[in-house]
Amino acid sequence: RLVLRGVNFEFDRAELSTEATGILDAAVAALGESPDAAVVVAGHTDAIGSEAYNLELSRRRAGSVRSYLVDKGID
């Protein structure tokens, strides 16, 4: 089981930071060694803002991570 820690986002943002991409690059390497692995990506926010807004921000953050992994060749 691989749990990513440190893939954080700036307040109210969904763009990956340089630090986050470094962590994701390590995940890409690990996942490349296990092509049959199942991956679950979930995004989170703080409690500031409405529930609906935070849900959408969480989705955008998860989407940023997903897109990065797919762009690096992870199915």
Side-chain angles (χ1 to χ4, degrees):
R1 181 176 183 179
L2 174 67
V3 177
L4 301 180
R5 303 218 187 276
V7 179
N8 298 314
F9 295 85
E10 295 293 325
F11 178 75
D12 200 29
R13 300 277 191 212
E15 296 81 24
L16 294 170
S17 66
T18 302
E19 180 182 346
T21 58
I23 294 165
L24 291 174
D25 286 340
V28 166
L31 291 169
E33 295 175 7
S34 302
D36 294 331
V39 177
V40 175
V41 176
H44 300 278
T45 66
D46 56 25
I48 299 172
S50 71
E51 185 176 335
Y53 180 80
N54 285 337
L55 179 60
E56 180 56 32
L57 180 57
S58 295
R59 286 182 179 148
R60 289 189 297 136
R61 288 176 172 179
S64 292
V65 171
R66 180 191 179 281
S67 292
Y68 188 85
L69 295 175
V70 169
D71 289 348
K72 294 290 184 171
I74 303 300
D75 287 336

